[in-house]
Amino acid sequence: MAFRMQELPRTVRRDRAGGMRRLYPRLLRDERVVPQLGIAIRYFETKLGLLRRDLDGEALTQLLGDPKMARCLVACLGRWYRYRTRTFADVLGDERATTLAGRGLTVPRELRALAYERANQSGGFVAPGARAGFLADLVDGLDHVEAEQLLWLDAADQAVLTRVGPVPAAADVVALYNLRALETVLRNARTVRLALRGNREAVAAVCDRHGVRAAIVGKTVTLSGRQDALGSWSRHGARVARAALTLFGDGALGPGEAEVQSGDDAYLVKLDAALLADALPPRAWSAPA
């Protein structure tokens, strides 16, 4: 998943000839960030099984320095670390959760509906001093602490951190960040002009499959983006990005440039061989010999 264009770390420079301003996405090209990412990964590991509210996002921002870079790297870590909403069985155990299910209570909204119904039977209001007793009497077998917890178990801050798969390596996070940075550029492009390295018919077929308009003139392929009703390029741009990345992976496209829209501003991004080599997995693209 691409980053938000406004969040992409970048450098912008004016063109000396007075043309479109140049945008340079900040890729991670050296090893200096690896120790910091290692600390960030260990931080996530210490938070496994804890609530979302226990994760201090500012700590990672301070660690990584640049707020935009930190947010993008945390988004990349989301490939491995995800928040999961707990179930009644997670809190009460399978047997007690099954008992509640037999009463038609399987998710928090059903328990809340019961609480509202009971409250409405006595005037629609439960005074703060009567709250504990009200919750204790809500469902047989639940004390007021358990009932309070189950009522809001689906709230965002109640989700617990989990890991999908093995512990990620810092190098894997760097590679994902660089790939997503390129995808962000492609997704927000008005036009992408790239060198043709493969078969014209195959390129046209991939673009047609993704619903992307492509013009092939000589050795240049131009992929065209499209604005939606709200003026955004990123919705259709997801198709442009998928088509371009597929063709890079097939070896059908080479270096070029993209005209990218960020808010009301337009920029030119050079997609040269060095950027593609850093952003794409080695097996997905190689520079021309």
Side-chain angles (χ1 to χ4, degrees):
M1 181 183 295
F3 307 129
R4 294 176 62 247
M5 188 63 192
Q6 294 82 350
E7 291 289 334
L8 178 67
R10 87 280 297 270
T11 300
V12 175
R13 295 180 183 148
R14 293 191 178 277
D15 185 82
R16 294 181 180 179
M20 189 178 294
R21 286 182 296 173
R22 302 294 182 94
L23 184 148
Y24 301 88
R26 285 180 53 195
L27 301 187
L28 299 176
R29 291 186 164 102
D30 56 45
E31 298 295 321
R32 287 179 296 178
V33 74
V34 171
Q36 295 171 309
L37 273 175
I39 296 173
I41 291 169
R42 289 196 295 274
Y43 177 78
F44 274 88
E45 286 292 309
T46 65
K47 298 299 182 181
L48 290 176
L50 299 183
L51 301 180
R52 181 192 292 267
R53 65 188 180 196
D54 295 324
L55 179 64
D56 183 2
E58 287 302 314
L60 295 176
T61 299
Q62 294 173 7
L63 171 66
L64 298 169
D66 183 334
K68 286 186 176 181
M69 181 69 72
R71 286 191 288 270
C72 289
L73 286 171
V74 169
C76 290
L77 284 166
R79 178 172 180 176
W80 293 274
Y81 297 97
R82 302 174 186 175
Y83 286 100
R84 181 179 65 83
T85 300
R86 290 176 294 167
T87 66
F88 286 177
D90 291 327
V91 176
L92 302 175
D94 292 337
E95 184 176 346
R96 296 178 69 194
T98 300
T99 301
L100 285 182
R103 300 173 183 175
L105 302 173
T106 58
V107 291
R109 68 173 178 270
E110 294 170 346
L111 187 60
R112 289 195 294 270
L114 175 63
Y116 297 149
E117 180 183 353
R118 295 280 180 84
N120 287 333
Q121 291 173 358
S122 57
F125 176 76
V126 178
R131 183 181 180 88
F134 172 81
L135 292 176
D137 294 335
L138 186 60
V139 178
D140 291 340
L142 291 182
D143 60 35
H144 74 279
V145 174
E146 293 172 329
E148 183 81 64
Q149 184 179 20
L150 297 183
L151 275 172
W152 310 109
L153 199 60
D154 55 354
D157 66 345
Q158 294 297 308
V160 295
L161 185 66
T162 62
R163 173 167 32 84
V164 178
V167 178
D172 294 333
V173 182
V174 169
L176 182 59
Y177 167 86
N178 288 339
L179 178 61
R180 286 188 174 179
L182 173 60
E183 183 183 359
T184 302
V185 169
L186 295 170
R187 187 165 181 164
N188 291 274
R190 301 186 304 191
T191 59
V192 184
R193 293 179 290 274
L194 299 165
L196 177 65
R197 296 173 66 189
N199 180 274
R200 298 165 65 96
E201 288 73 20
V203 171
V206 169
C207 292
D208 184 65
R209 185 168 71 246
H210 286 86
V212 175
R213 184 161 58 89
I216 305 176
V217 179
K219 288 294 185 178
T220 301
V221 179
T222 301
L223 308 180
S224 296
R226 187 171 68 228
Q227 283 182 296
D228 62 18
L230 299 178
S232 172
W233 295 86
S234 62
R235 186 182 300 275
H236 180 72
R239 296 173 175 267
V240 175
R242 285 196 295 267
L245 292 174
T246 298
L247 291 167
F248 281 134
D250 293 342
L253 294 181
E257 61 184 18
E259 293 182 12
V260 174
Q261 196 73 27
S262 179
D264 296 329
D265 299 316
Y267 304 96
L268 185 68
V269 180
K270 297 292 290 184
L271 304 175
D272 56 23
L275 184 147
L276 295 178
D278 287 329
L280 294 168
R283 295 180 182 178
W285 189 83
S286 60

mmCIF file of all heavy atoms in Angstrom, residues 56-98:
data_model
loop_
_atom_site.group_PDB
_atom_site.id
_atom_site.type_symbol
_atom_site.label_atom_id
_atom_site.label_comp_id
_atom_site.label_asym_id
_atom_site.label_seq_id
_atom_site.Cartn_x
_atom_site.Cartn_y
_atom_site.Cartn_z
ATOM 1 N N ASP A 56 3.569 4.104 22.297
ATOM 2 C CA ASP A 56 3.917 5.528 22.261
ATOM 3 C C ASP A 56 4.493 5.874 20.901
ATOM 4 O O ASP A 56 5.659 5.617 20.620
ATOM 5 C CB ASP A 56 4.929 5.836 23.379
ATOM 6 C CG ASP A 56 5.279 7.319 23.457
ATOM 7 O OD1 ASP A 56 4.710 8.098 22.670
ATOM 8 O OD2 ASP A 56 6.112 7.684 24.294
ATOM 9 N N GLY A 57 3.651 6.456 20.033
ATOM 10 C CA GLY A 57 4.114 6.820 18.698
ATOM 11 C C GLY A 57 5.177 7.890 18.712
ATOM 12 O O GLY A 57 6.053 7.926 17.843
ATOM 13 N N GLU A 58 5.134 8.768 19.697
ATOM 14 C CA GLU A 58 6.133 9.841 19.772
ATOM 15 C C GLU A 58 7.527 9.291 20.042
ATOM 16 O O GLU A 58 8.519 9.877 19.626
ATOM 17 C CB GLU A 58 5.739 10.850 20.848
ATOM 18 C CG GLU A 58 4.565 11.729 20.470
ATOM 19 C CD GLU A 58 4.831 12.519 19.200
ATOM 20 O OE1 GLU A 58 5.923 13.099 19.080
ATOM 21 O OE2 GLU A 58 3.953 12.542 18.327
ATOM 22 N N ALA A 59 7.586 8.179 20.749
ATOM 23 C CA ALA A 59 8.901 7.585 21.027
ATOM 24 C C ALA A 59 9.578 7.179 19.732
ATOM 25 O O ALA A 59 10.796 7.385 19.563
ATOM 26 C CB ALA A 59 8.734 6.375 21.943
ATOM 27 N N LEU A 60 8.817 6.626 18.780
ATOM 28 C CA LEU A 60 9.400 6.233 17.506
ATOM 29 C C LEU A 60 9.764 7.454 16.672
ATOM 30 O O LEU A 60 10.767 7.453 15.953
ATOM 31 C CB LEU A 60 8.418 5.340 16.751
ATOM 32 C CG LEU A 60 8.127 3.987 17.403
ATOM 33 C CD1 LEU A 60 7.078 3.229 16.611
ATOM 34 C CD2 LEU A 60 9.401 3.159 17.505
ATOM 35 N N THR A 61 8.961 8.511 16.750
ATOM 36 C CA THR A 61 9.284 9.741 16.030
ATOM 37 C C THR A 61 10.597 10.315 16.527
ATOM 38 O O THR A 61 11.443 10.757 15.745
ATOM 39 C CB THR A 61 8.148 10.770 16.193
ATOM 40 O OG1 THR A 61 6.942 10.226 15.650
ATOM 41 C CG2 THR A 61 8.477 12.067 15.470
ATOM 42 N N GLN A 62 10.777 10.336 17.842
ATOM 43 C CA GLN A 62 12.024 10.850 18.408
ATOM 44 C C GLN A 62 13.210 9.970 18.022
ATOM 45 O O GLN A 62 14.311 10.468 17.774
ATOM 46 C CB GLN A 62 11.897 10.943 19.925
ATOM 47 C CG GLN A 62 10.873 11.983 20.385
ATOM 48 C CD GLN A 62 10.645 11.941 21.880
ATOM 49 O OE1 GLN A 62 11.340 11.234 22.613
ATOM 50 N NE2 GLN A 62 9.654 12.697 22.350
ATOM 51 N N LEU A 63 12.968 8.677 17.952
ATOM 52 C CA LEU A 63 14.037 7.753 17.587
ATOM 53 C C LEU A 63 14.491 7.965 16.147
ATOM 54 O O LEU A 63 15.692 7.995 15.855
ATOM 55 C CB LEU A 63 13.562 6.315 17.782
ATOM 56 C CG LEU A 63 14.476 5.207 17.239
ATOM 57 C CD1 LEU A 63 15.786 5.183 18.013
ATOM 58 C CD2 LEU A 63 13.787 3.858 17.308
ATOM 59 N N LEU A 64 13.517 8.119 15.233
ATOM 60 C CA LEU A 64 13.822 8.201 13.809
ATOM 61 C C LEU A 64 14.050 9.629 13.335
ATOM 62 O O LEU A 64 14.525 9.831 12.214
ATOM 63 C CB LEU A 64 12.687 7.555 13.002
ATOM 64 C CG LEU A 64 12.487 6.054 13.300
ATOM 65 C CD1 LEU A 64 11.196 5.558 12.692
ATOM 66 C CD2 LEU A 64 13.659 5.237 12.778
ATOM 67 N N GLY A 65 13.710 10.610 14.174
ATOM 68 C CA GLY A 65 14.035 11.993 13.851
ATOM 69 C C GLY A 65 13.000 12.700 13.007
ATOM 70 O O GLY A 65 12.322 13.610 13.472
ATOM 71 N N ASP A 66 12.836 12.299 11.773
ATOM 72 C CA ASP A 66 11.923 12.946 10.837
ATOM 73 C C ASP A 66 10.511 12.398 11.046
ATOM 74 O O ASP A 66 10.278 11.199 10.867
ATOM 75 C CB ASP A 66 12.402 12.660 9.410
ATOM 76 C CG ASP A 66 11.564 13.361 8.354
ATOM 77 O OD1 ASP A 66 10.387 13.655 8.621
ATOM 78 O OD2 ASP A 66 12.083 13.607 7.261
ATOM 79 N N PRO A 67 9.525 13.254 11.397
ATOM 80 C CA PRO A 67 8.159 12.748 11.642
ATOM 81 C C PRO A 67 7.560 12.033 10.434
ATOM 82 O O PRO A 67 6.907 11.001 10.586
ATOM 83 C CB PRO A 67 7.372 14.018 11.995
ATOM 84 C CG PRO A 67 8.397 14.965 12.521
ATOM 85 C CD PRO A 67 9.637 14.689 11.722
ATOM 86 N N LYS A 68 7.763 12.579 9.222
ATOM 87 C CA LYS A 68 7.208 11.928 8.035
ATOM 88 C C LYS A 68 7.861 10.566 7.811
ATOM 89 O O LYS A 68 7.181 9.578 7.525
ATOM 90 C CB LYS A 68 7.402 12.812 6.802
ATOM 91 C CG LYS A 68 6.486 14.018 6.739
ATOM 92 C CD LYS A 68 6.649 14.740 5.422
ATOM 93 C CE LYS A 68 5.667 15.904 5.317
ATOM 94 N NZ LYS A 68 5.788 16.605 4.017
ATOM 95 N N MET A 69 9.166 10.531 7.946
ATOM 96 C CA MET A 69 9.874 9.266 7.774
ATOM 97 C C MET A 69 9.415 8.256 8.816
ATOM 98 O O MET A 69 9.207 7.071 8.516
ATOM 99 C CB MET A 69 11.378 9.489 7.888
ATOM 100 C CG MET A 69 12.221 8.230 7.703
ATOM 101 S SD MET A 69 12.186 7.626 6.011
ATOM 102 C CE MET A 69 13.193 8.877 5.193
ATOM 103 N N ALA A 70 9.226 8.732 10.051
ATOM 104 C CA ALA A 70 8.790 7.832 11.117
ATOM 105 C C ALA A 70 7.418 7.256 10.810
ATOM 106 O O ALA A 70 7.193 6.050 10.965
ATOM 107 C CB ALA A 70 8.763 8.583 12.451
ATOM 108 N N ARG A 71 6.487 8.105 10.366
ATOM 109 C CA ARG A 71 5.140 7.612 10.065
ATOM 110 C C ARG A 71 5.158 6.617 8.910
ATOM 111 O O ARG A 71 4.419 5.622 8.928
ATOM 112 C CB ARG A 71 4.217 8.796 9.763
ATOM 113 C CG ARG A 71 3.822 9.593 10.995
ATOM 114 C CD ARG A 71 2.711 10.567 10.699
ATOM 115 N NE ARG A 71 3.144 11.687 9.898
ATOM 116 C CZ ARG A 71 3.622 12.826 10.390
ATOM 117 N NH1 ARG A 71 3.735 12.979 11.707
ATOM 118 N NH2 ARG A 71 3.973 13.819 9.592
ATOM 119 N N CYS A 72 5.978 6.878 7.910
ATOM 120 C CA CYS A 72 6.052 5.952 6.780
ATOM 121 C C CYS A 72 6.669 4.619 7.188
ATOM 122 O O CYS A 72 6.212 3.552 6.762
ATOM 123 C CB CYS A 72 6.852 6.585 5.636
ATOM 124 S SG CYS A 72 6.001 7.938 4.796
ATOM 125 N N LEU A 73 7.699 4.664 8.014
ATOM 126 C CA LEU A 73 8.335 3.423 8.455
ATOM 127 C C LEU A 73 7.405 2.629 9.379
ATOM 128 O O LEU A 73 7.366 1.395 9.312
ATOM 129 C CB LEU A 73 9.658 3.723 9.155
ATOM 130 C CG LEU A 73 10.796 4.132 8.218
ATOM 131 C CD1 LEU A 73 12.005 4.612 9.011
ATOM 132 C CD2 LEU A 73 11.194 2.983 7.292
ATOM 133 N N VAL A 74 6.650 3.330 10.228
ATOM 134 C CA VAL A 74 5.676 2.629 11.074
ATOM 135 C C VAL A 74 4.605 1.986 10.201
ATOM 136 O O VAL A 74 4.151 0.864 10.466
ATOM 137 C CB VAL A 74 5.058 3.607 12.094
ATOM 138 C CG1 VAL A 74 3.854 2.961 12.789
ATOM 139 C CG2 VAL A 74 6.088 4.006 13.139
ATOM 140 N N ALA A 75 4.198 2.689 9.122
ATOM 141 C CA ALA A 75 3.233 2.101 8.190
ATOM 142 C C ALA A 75 3.801 0.835 7.554
ATOM 143 O O ALA A 75 3.084 -0.156 7.355
ATOM 144 C CB ALA A 75 2.860 3.115 7.115
ATOM 145 N N CYS A 76 5.094 0.840 7.238
ATOM 146 C CA CYS A 76 5.732 -0.360 6.674
ATOM 147 C C CYS A 76 5.771 -1.483 7.703
ATOM 148 O O CYS A 76 5.543 -2.658 7.369
ATOM 149 C CB CYS A 76 7.145 -0.030 6.206
ATOM 150 S SG CYS A 76 7.212 1.031 4.752
ATOM 151 N N LEU A 77 6.052 -1.144 8.949
ATOM 152 C CA LEU A 77 6.072 -2.164 9.999
ATOM 153 C C LEU A 77 4.690 -2.796 10.182
ATOM 154 O O LEU A 77 4.577 -3.910 10.697
ATOM 155 C CB LEU A 77 6.556 -1.549 11.314
ATOM 156 C CG LEU A 77 8.064 -1.292 11.397
ATOM 157 C CD1 LEU A 77 8.391 -0.386 12.580
ATOM 158 C CD2 LEU A 77 8.835 -2.598 11.505
ATOM 159 N N GLY A 78 3.640 -2.076 9.728
ATOM 160 C CA GLY A 78 2.297 -2.630 9.798
ATOM 161 C C GLY A 78 2.113 -3.875 8.956
ATOM 162 O O GLY A 78 1.105 -4.578 9.106
ATOM 163 N N ARG A 79 3.055 -4.154 8.076
ATOM 164 C CA ARG A 79 2.989 -5.422 7.328
ATOM 165 C C ARG A 79 3.199 -6.605 8.255
ATOM 166 O O ARG A 79 2.686 -7.705 8.000
ATOM 167 C CB ARG A 79 4.034 -5.416 6.220
ATOM 168 C CG ARG A 79 4.090 -6.700 5.406
ATOM 169 C CD ARG A 79 5.003 -6.564 4.226
ATOM 170 N NE ARG A 79 5.080 -7.775 3.437
ATOM 171 C CZ ARG A 79 5.755 -7.882 2.309
ATOM 172 N NH1 ARG A 79 6.394 -6.837 1.820
ATOM 173 N NH2 ARG A 79 5.788 -9.020 1.638
ATOM 174 N N TRP A 80 3.962 -6.406 9.305
ATOM 175 C CA TRP A 80 4.255 -7.484 10.245
ATOM 176 C C TRP A 80 3.510 -7.329 11.572
ATOM 177 O O TRP A 80 3.176 -8.318 12.216
ATOM 178 C CB TRP A 80 5.758 -7.534 10.522
ATOM 179 C CG TRP A 80 6.577 -7.934 9.352
ATOM 180 C CD1 TRP A 80 6.882 -9.211 8.960
ATOM 181 C CD2 TRP A 80 7.189 -7.066 8.383
ATOM 182 N NE1 TRP A 80 7.650 -9.183 7.830
ATOM 183 C CE2 TRP A 80 7.877 -7.879 7.443
ATOM 184 C CE3 TRP A 80 7.248 -5.684 8.228
ATOM 185 C CZ2 TRP A 80 8.582 -7.353 6.366
ATOM 186 C CZ3 TRP A 80 7.948 -5.140 7.154
ATOM 187 C CH2 TRP A 80 8.604 -5.974 6.231
ATOM 188 N N TYR A 81 3.303 -6.076 11.995
ATOM 189 C CA TYR A 81 2.681 -5.826 13.298
ATOM 190 C C TYR A 81 1.296 -5.208 13.084
ATOM 191 O O TYR A 81 1.177 -4.138 12.474
ATOM 192 C CB TYR A 81 3.554 -4.888 14.130
ATOM 193 C CG TYR A 81 4.901 -5.488 14.452
ATOM 194 C CD1 TYR A 81 6.026 -5.190 13.687
ATOM 195 C CD2 TYR A 81 5.049 -6.388 15.509
ATOM 196 C CE1 TYR A 81 7.252 -5.757 13.960
ATOM 197 C CE2 TYR A 81 6.283 -6.957 15.801
ATOM 198 C CZ TYR A 81 7.378 -6.633 15.016
ATOM 199 O OH TYR A 81 8.591 -7.212 15.298
ATOM 200 N N ARG A 82 0.273 -5.885 13.584
ATOM 201 C CA ARG A 82 -1.099 -5.442 13.367
ATOM 202 C C ARG A 82 -1.882 -5.501 14.671
ATOM 203 O O ARG A 82 -1.589 -6.320 15.548
ATOM 204 C CB ARG A 82 -1.785 -6.324 12.306
ATOM 205 C CG ARG A 82 -1.061 -6.315 10.972
ATOM 206 C CD ARG A 82 -1.668 -7.286 9.993
ATOM 207 N NE ARG A 82 -0.873 -7.368 8.770
ATOM 208 C CZ ARG A 82 -1.113 -8.206 7.778
ATOM 209 N NH1 ARG A 82 -2.156 -9.039 7.855
ATOM 210 N NH2 ARG A 82 -0.335 -8.219 6.713
ATOM 211 N N TYR A 83 -2.873 -4.655 14.747
ATOM 212 C CA TYR A 83 -3.749 -4.652 15.919
ATOM 213 C C TYR A 83 -4.956 -5.535 15.663
ATOM 214 O O TYR A 83 -5.574 -5.469 14.607
ATOM 215 C CB TYR A 83 -4.191 -3.225 16.256
ATOM 216 C CG TYR A 83 -3.081 -2.418 16.889
ATOM 217 C CD1 TYR A 83 -2.336 -1.520 16.147
ATOM 218 C CD2 TYR A 83 -2.775 -2.583 18.241
ATOM 219 C CE1 TYR A 83 -1.310 -0.795 16.723
ATOM 220 C CE2 TYR A 83 -1.748 -1.870 18.827
ATOM 221 C CZ TYR A 83 -1.019 -0.976 18.068
ATOM 222 O OH TYR A 83 -0.008 -0.268 18.635
ATOM 223 N N ARG A 84 -5.277 -6.356 16.625
ATOM 224 C CA ARG A 84 -6.398 -7.287 16.507
ATOM 225 C C ARG A 84 -7.427 -7.005 17.596
ATOM 226 O O ARG A 84 -7.082 -6.874 18.774
ATOM 227 C CB ARG A 84 -5.901 -8.729 16.652
ATOM 228 C CG ARG A 84 -6.994 -9.785 16.524
ATOM 229 C CD ARG A 84 -6.426 -11.190 16.661
ATOM 230 N NE ARG A 84 -5.878 -11.435 17.980
ATOM 231 C CZ ARG A 84 -6.594 -11.798 19.040
ATOM 232 N NH1 ARG A 84 -7.914 -11.938 18.936
ATOM 233 N NH2 ARG A 84 -6.004 -12.021 20.207
ATOM 234 N N THR A 85 -8.670 -6.875 17.162
ATOM 235 C CA THR A 85 -9.752 -6.701 18.123
ATOM 236 C C THR A 85 -9.982 -8.008 18.865
ATOM 237 O O THR A 85 -10.118 -9.071 18.260
ATOM 238 C CB THR A 85 -11.046 -6.278 17.405
ATOM 239 O OG1 THR A 85 -10.814 -5.036 16.737
ATOM 240 C CG2 THR A 85 -12.186 -6.106 18.403
ATOM 241 N N ARG A 86 -10.029 -7.942 20.183
ATOM 242 C CA ARG A 86 -10.209 -9.150 20.979
ATOM 243 C C ARG A 86 -11.668 -9.603 20.970
ATOM 244 O O ARG A 86 -12.582 -8.810 20.781
ATOM 245 C CB ARG A 86 -9.755 -8.898 22.421
ATOM 246 C CG ARG A 86 -8.252 -8.737 22.566
ATOM 247 C CD ARG A 86 -7.896 -8.399 24.000
ATOM 248 N NE ARG A 86 -8.420 -7.081 24.376
ATOM 249 C CZ ARG A 86 -8.476 -6.639 25.628
ATOM 250 N NH1 ARG A 86 -8.076 -7.408 26.622
ATOM 251 N NH2 ARG A 86 -8.943 -5.430 25.887
ATOM 252 N N THR A 87 -11.866 -10.875 21.181
ATOM 253 C CA THR A 87 -13.202 -11.459 21.265
ATOM 254 C C THR A 87 -13.571 -11.706 22.731
ATOM 255 O O THR A 87 -12.709 -11.627 23.624
ATOM 256 C CB THR A 87 -13.271 -12.782 20.498
ATOM 257 O OG1 THR A 87 -12.414 -13.744 21.157
ATOM 258 C CG2 THR A 87 -12.792 -12.606 19.056
ATOM 259 N N PHE A 88 -14.828 -12.041 22.970
ATOM 260 C CA PHE A 88 -15.248 -12.387 24.322
ATOM 261 C C PHE A 88 -14.447 -13.580 24.846
ATOM 262 O O PHE A 88 -14.114 -13.647 26.035
ATOM 263 C CB PHE A 88 -16.741 -12.719 24.335
ATOM 264 C CG PHE A 88 -17.642 -11.510 24.213
ATOM 265 C CD1 PHE A 88 -19.021 -11.668 24.146
ATOM 266 C CD2 PHE A 88 -17.122 -10.226 24.170
ATOM 267 C CE1 PHE A 88 -19.860 -10.565 24.049
ATOM 268 C CE2 PHE A 88 -17.949 -9.114 24.070
ATOM 269 C CZ PHE A 88 -19.324 -9.285 23.997
ATOM 270 N N ALA A 89 -14.140 -14.523 23.945
ATOM 271 C CA ALA A 89 -13.386 -15.709 24.375
ATOM 272 C C ALA A 89 -11.981 -15.327 24.834
ATOM 273 O O ALA A 89 -11.425 -15.970 25.738
ATOM 274 C CB ALA A 89 -13.319 -16.720 23.236
ATOM 275 N N ASP A 90 -11.387 -14.305 24.231
ATOM 276 C CA ASP A 90 -10.050 -13.871 24.648
ATOM 277 C C ASP A 90 -10.053 -13.378 26.086
ATOM 278 O O ASP A 90 -9.064 -13.522 26.811
ATOM 279 C CB ASP A 90 -9.541 -12.750 23.736
ATOM 280 C CG ASP A 90 -9.246 -13.230 22.330
ATOM 281 O OD1 ASP A 90 -8.823 -14.384 22.177
ATOM 282 O OD2 ASP A 90 -9.432 -12.440 21.373
ATOM 283 N N VAL A 91 -11.156 -12.754 26.502
ATOM 284 C CA VAL A 91 -11.238 -12.163 27.835
ATOM 285 C C VAL A 91 -11.793 -13.151 28.858
ATOM 286 O O VAL A 91 -11.280 -13.263 29.979
ATOM 287 C CB VAL A 91 -12.121 -10.893 27.800
ATOM 288 C CG1 VAL A 91 -12.294 -10.309 29.205
ATOM 289 C CG2 VAL A 91 -11.519 -9.853 26.865
ATOM 290 N N LEU A 92 -12.816 -13.907 28.474
ATOM 291 C CA LEU A 92 -13.532 -14.759 29.426
ATOM 292 C C LEU A 92 -13.169 -16.232 29.330
ATOM 293 O O LEU A 92 -13.462 -17.001 30.259
ATOM 294 C CB LEU A 92 -15.045 -14.617 29.214
ATOM 295 C CG LEU A 92 -15.636 -13.222 29.340
ATOM 296 C CD1 LEU A 92 -17.111 -13.252 28.989
ATOM 297 C CD2 LEU A 92 -15.424 -12.663 30.739
ATOM 298 N N GLY A 93 -12.565 -16.631 28.207
ATOM 299 C CA GLY A 93 -12.351 -18.053 27.970
ATOM 300 C C GLY A 93 -13.471 -18.621 27.114
ATOM 301 O O GLY A 93 -14.572 -18.047 27.036
ATOM 302 N N ASP A 94 -13.216 -19.747 26.489
ATOM 303 C CA ASP A 94 -14.174 -20.318 25.542
ATOM 304 C C ASP A 94 -15.500 -20.708 26.199
ATOM 305 O O ASP A 94 -16.576 -20.485 25.638
ATOM 306 C CB ASP A 94 -13.555 -21.544 24.849
ATOM 307 C CG ASP A 94 -12.417 -21.174 23.926
ATOM 308 O OD1 ASP A 94 -12.370 -20.007 23.479
ATOM 309 O OD2 ASP A 94 -11.573 -22.042 23.646
ATOM 310 N N GLU A 95 -15.427 -21.294 27.378
ATOM 311 C CA GLU A 95 -16.651 -21.807 28.002
ATOM 312 C C GLU A 95 -17.617 -20.681 28.348
ATOM 313 O O GLU A 95 -18.809 -20.743 28.025
ATOM 314 C CB GLU A 95 -16.293 -22.604 29.257
ATOM 315 C CG GLU A 95 -17.507 -23.249 29.921
ATOM 316 C CD GLU A 95 -17.125 -24.118 31.118
ATOM 317 O OE1 GLU A 95 -15.914 -24.418 31.263
ATOM 318 O OE2 GLU A 95 -18.035 -24.481 31.883
ATOM 319 N N ARG A 96 -17.122 -19.639 28.986
ATOM 320 C CA ARG A 96 -18.000 -18.526 29.371
ATOM 321 C C ARG A 96 -18.477 -17.762 28.144
ATOM 322 O O ARG A 96 -19.615 -17.279 28.103
ATOM 323 C CB ARG A 96 -17.282 -17.597 30.338
ATOM 324 C CG ARG A 96 -16.915 -18.251 31.662
ATOM 325 C CD ARG A 96 -16.168 -17.298 32.550
ATOM 326 N NE ARG A 96 -17.034 -16.223 33.029
ATOM 327 C CZ ARG A 96 -16.580 -15.111 33.605
ATOM 328 N NH1 ARG A 96 -15.257 -14.925 33.745
ATOM 329 N NH2 ARG A 96 -17.409 -14.182 34.015
ATOM 330 N N ALA A 97 -17.621 -17.636 27.121
ATOM 331 C CA ALA A 97 -18.031 -16.959 25.888
ATOM 332 C C ALA A 97 -19.138 -17.736 25.193
ATOM 333 O O ALA A 97 -20.068 -17.141 24.629
ATOM 334 C CB ALA A 97 -16.830 -16.786 24.952
ATOM 335 N N THR A 98 -19.061 -19.061 25.237
ATOM 336 C CA THR A 98 -20.109 -19.895 24.640
ATOM 337 C C THR A 98 -21.432 -19.710 25.376
ATOM 338 O O THR A 98 -22.508 -19.677 24.762
ATOM 339 C CB THR A 98 -19.686 -21.374 24.658
ATOM 340 O OG1 THR A 98 -18.484 -21.532 23.906
ATOM 341 C CG2 THR A 98 -20.769 -22.254 24.050
#
